[in-house]
Amino acid sequence: MVRQRELPRSGTQRVLAILAAFTAERPVLALSEISRLAGLALTTTHRQLAELTRWGALERGDDGRYRIGLRLWEVGALAPRSLGLREAALPFLEDLYEATHQNVQVAVLDGREVVYVERITGRDAVHVVTRPGSRLPLHATAVGLVLLAHAPISEIDAVLAAPLKRYTEYTVTDPARLRRALADTRRNGYAISVRQIETVSTSVAAPIRDERDVVVAALSIVVPAKGAHARRHVPAVLAAARGVSRGIGSTPGNP
Amino acid sequence: MVRQRELPRSGTQRVLAILAAFTAERPVLALSEISRLAGLALTTTHRQLAELTRWGALERGDDGRYRIGLRLWEVGALAPRSLGLREAALPFLEDLYEATHQNVQVAVLDGREVVYVERITGRDAVHVVTRPGSRLPLHATAVGLVLLAHAPISEIDAVLAAPLKRYTEYTVTDPARLRRALADTRRNGYAISVRQIETVSTSVAAPIRDERDVVVAALSIVVPAKGAHARRHVPAVLAAARGVSRGIGSTPGNP
DNA sequence: TCCCGCCTTCCGTCCAGCGGAAGTGTAGGC
DNA sequence: GCCTACACTTCCGCTGGACGGAAGGCGGGA
């Protein structure tokens, strides 16, 4: 199924349809696969791939298949919500990681989802499904609760009015309970998410704010649900998030 | 100066010219700036920007200026030479960082340059000019020496035949000395680069190999040139690089 | 208030790009 | 070794998607 609702019409749409054909599940594609996924004729695909490869957006392997090229990654890395945020966040993520040796990550809001832009994970840390570039829904993640709690009311209403997916028996999908969780998040200044995506993990998240006090991202730690008490990580998560917030005003890309 | 030698002709070239207008130095651009940098008419630029923004490749801020969007970063993050390598390398980079609290990084070969795809830096670490996405020449970096040492002879000849830039009074630009350095790198299995880019730093790099024993990246540590002996980091850098090499065969994107 | 620079919209014109068909190459099965 | 199927590459007649200059709107600074 093509990810785009309609077949590409303009040249620009064709280029983007090709890039969109690549996913975390399928990072390597043959020409005919790209043609099918992008909804383009073979000839068209062939021509476009040649140009994208020449520029470096794509790379063609010895096996004849295509992969996203370094040049595209370089351009993508210029995204302030990835590069700028990451540069500001990394020292604090390092500190939090060293203190706990658990997963630490940063996510931003994009539409009705969270997108993880950074993750540090240790070998012995609890398994997490997220990786940089991953998307998860707002209601079932601690970072999502933080980001939603500070979104406009209309946005909150829209998210809670839509069908909410249940991942585990613990996943909260009742809008009333979620509104209380959002109110708690605002009052406490952090969110805790217990066994919502996977039953083995719990996470604590806190908001990262820009110089205008707008919540632009959330930082979280993910720990095993059993044993360690997530609540005891709250002070460190808050401190790390505040540290990132202080650094954010000086990163390129902000007015 | 437009980065492309010729003005864009095809639709695809126009899209890529727009993306190429953004750089680490200028991650935020106004419409007319993009038009000039990409060599496109205002109308054309306006139309293209609308499509790129609609898709998420670009984001337009409240100030009316454009930034690289999260969606493009997501696609770019699928590059095996960035994502796959990074996922495999991060645990070892973390270990090396924790043991030393110095800068640790991974770079790949791209044309006649190295591109840094990952970097962990601490607050107290010596200043380094590199960031993810940065490019530096091969001859003046430890990672560059490692990558060049294992490149085809024709490639070595081509690089050493071209003018080599001097960054500090210590930068080696004599082809004969560089050939000896490359031979040493092959024999030792690592490279040491002293005050080549900045006079305050020294670095040690080791090769990261894929399952066919091909050198695909290099891992390095950057330490202050004064005091700490770079040589004593060699065992740890070699161990980290070997660890990454072992992990690489299992990452997505490799045959 | 005026001017300048930037951005947005309009619209007549045209060639860049489309895609079907045919050709080529390769791998796997018999 | 041969055959078949599939993927990829090249060709070329045709056309509508896209071009960009001009005009208008908007906002900020003098």
Side-chain angles (χ1 to χ4, degrees):
Chain A
M1 175 186 298
V2 291
R3 289 173 64 172
Q4 259 178 263
R5 229 175 290 113
E6 63 201 86
L7 291 184
R9 284 282 177 276
S10 73
T12 306
Q13 287 170 356
R14 290 189 170 92
V15 170
L16 299 174
I18 289 177
L19 297 182
F22 294 86
T23 63
E25 294 72 39
R26 302 176 77 175
V28 186
L29 295 168
L31 189 151
S32 51
E33 290 178 296
I34 295 171
S35 175
R36 278 198 296 278
L37 290 165
L40 296 172
L42 282 171
T43 318
T44 304
T45 305
H46 187 263
R47 200 170 38 245
Q48 299 278 4
L49 290 180
E51 290 217 70
L52 290 167
T53 303
R54 192 176 304 122
W55 187 80
L58 295 177
E59 291 172 4
R60 193 175 196 190
D62 295 334
D63 57 356
R65 297 192 296 162
Y66 294 84
R67 295 159 175 80
I68 296 294
L70 214 49
R71 190 75 188 85
L72 195 69
W73 170 74
E74 280 177 81
V75 175
L78 295 175
R81 297 215 286 152
S82 117
L83 173 73
L85 188 48
R86 176 187 196 285
E87 292 286 288
L90 209 53
F92 299 96
L93 290 177
E94 287 296 338
D95 288 346
L96 191 52
Y97 171 75
E98 284 195 83
T100 63
H101 281 94
Q102 301 294 336
N103 306 284
V104 292
Q105 48 199 18
V106 170
V108 298
L109 180 65
D110 194 59
R112 304 283 168 73
E113 302 173 297
V114 298
V115 181
Y116 291 88
V117 298
E118 186 55 90
R119 180 191 75 170
I120 299 180
T121 186
R123 273 183 226 79
D124 304 320
V126 69
H127 176 263
V128 294
V129 299
T130 53
R131 49 166 43 178
S134 290
R135 290 174 173 260
L136 277 176
L138 295 164
H139 70 288
T141 59
V143 290
L145 291 177
V146 166
L147 293 166
L148 189 59
H150 297 91
I153 301 291
S154 56
E155 197 54 34
I156 297 173
D157 289 343
V159 167
L160 298 185
L164 300 172
K165 186 177 177 182
R166 166 176 255 113
Y167 292 83
T168 73
E169 63 191 288
Y170 302 94
T171 310
V172 179
T173 55
D174 172 31
R177 285 187 61 192
L178 284 167
R179 286 187 190 279
R180 284 198 289 278
L182 294 175
D184 286 347
T185 299
R186 275 186 228 102
R187 178 167 63 251
N188 297 330
Y190 62 87
I192 296 186
S193 176
V194 183
R195 304 179 192 266
Q196 296 296 294
I197 296 288
E198 290 186 304
T199 56
V200 295
S201 55
T202 283
S203 62
V204 182
I208 292 172
R209 302 167 181 276
D210 67 11
E211 71 283 359
R212 288 174 296 179
D213 221 38
V214 173
V215 175
V216 295
L219 181 154
S220 78
I221 191 169
V222 185
V223 298
K226 185 186 296 183
H229 293 297
R231 201 169 295 274
R232 84 168 176 233
H233 292 294
V234 166
V237 169
L238 285 169
R242 282 198 195 101
V244 180
S245 298
R246 280 198 299 277
I248 258 193
S250 62
T251 58
N254 287 319
Chain B
M1 174 185 297
V2 290
R3 289 173 67 172
Q4 262 178 261
R5 227 176 292 113
E6 62 199 269
L7 291 184
R9 286 281 178 274
S10 71
T12 307
Q13 286 170 357
R14 291 191 171 91
V15 170
L16 299 174
I18 287 176
L19 298 182
F22 293 85
T23 63
E25 294 72 39
R26 303 177 77 174
V28 186
L29 295 168
L31 189 151
S32 51
E33 290 177 296
I34 296 172
S35 175
R36 277 198 296 279
L37 289 165
L40 297 172
L42 282 169
T43 317
T44 305
T45 306
H46 186 262
R47 198 169 42 245
Q48 299 280 4
L49 290 180
E51 291 216 71
L52 290 166
T53 303
R54 191 176 306 123
W55 188 81
L58 295 177
E59 291 173 3
R60 194 174 195 190
D62 294 335
D63 58 357
R65 297 192 296 162
Y66 295 85
R67 295 160 175 79
I68 297 293
L70 214 48
R71 189 75 188 84
L72 194 70
W73 170 76
E74 281 178 80
V75 175
L78 295 175
R81 297 216 285 152
S82 117
L83 173 74
L85 187 47
R86 175 187 198 284
E87 290 287 288
L90 208 53
F92 300 97
L93 290 178
E94 287 296 336
D95 288 346
L96 191 53
Y97 172 74
E98 283 195 85
T100 62
H101 281 94
Q102 301 295 336
N103 306 283
V104 291
Q105 49 200 16
V106 170
V108 298
L109 179 66
D110 193 58
R112 303 280 167 75
E113 302 173 297
V114 298
V115 180
Y116 290 88
V117 299
E118 186 55 89
R119 180 192 73 170
I120 299 180
T121 188
R123 271 182 228 84
D124 304 321
V126 69
H127 176 262
V128 295
V129 298
T130 52
R131 51 170 38 180
S134 292
R135 289 174 173 261
L136 278 176
L138 295 165
H139 70 288
T141 58
V143 289
L145 291 178
V146 166
L147 293 166
L148 189 59
H150 297 91
I153 301 290
S154 56
E155 197 54 34
I156 296 175
D157 289 343
V159 167
L160 297 186
L164 300 172
K165 185 177 178 182
R166 165 177 256 116
Y167 292 82
T168 73
E169 62 190 289
Y170 302 95
T171 311
V172 178
T173 54
D174 171 30
R177 285 188 61 192
L178 284 167
R179 286 185 190 280
R180 285 197 291 277
L182 294 176
D184 286 347
T185 298
R186 276 186 226 101
R187 182 169 58 251
N188 297 331
Y190 63 86
I192 297 187
S193 176
V194 184
R195 306 178 189 267
Q196 297 294 294
I197 296 289
E198 290 186 303
T199 56
V200 295
S201 57
T202 283
S203 63
V204 181
I208 292 172
R209 300 166 182 275
D210 67 11
E211 71 283 358
R212 289 173 296 179
D213 222 38
V214 174
V215 175
V216 296
L219 182 153
S220 79
I221 190 169
V222 185
V223 299
K226 186 185 297 184
H229 293 296
R231 201 169 296 271
R232 87 170 173 232
H233 292 295
V234 166
V237 169
L238 284 169
R242 282 197 194 102
V244 181
S245 299
R246 281 196 300 276
I248 257 193
S250 60
T251 57
N254 287 319

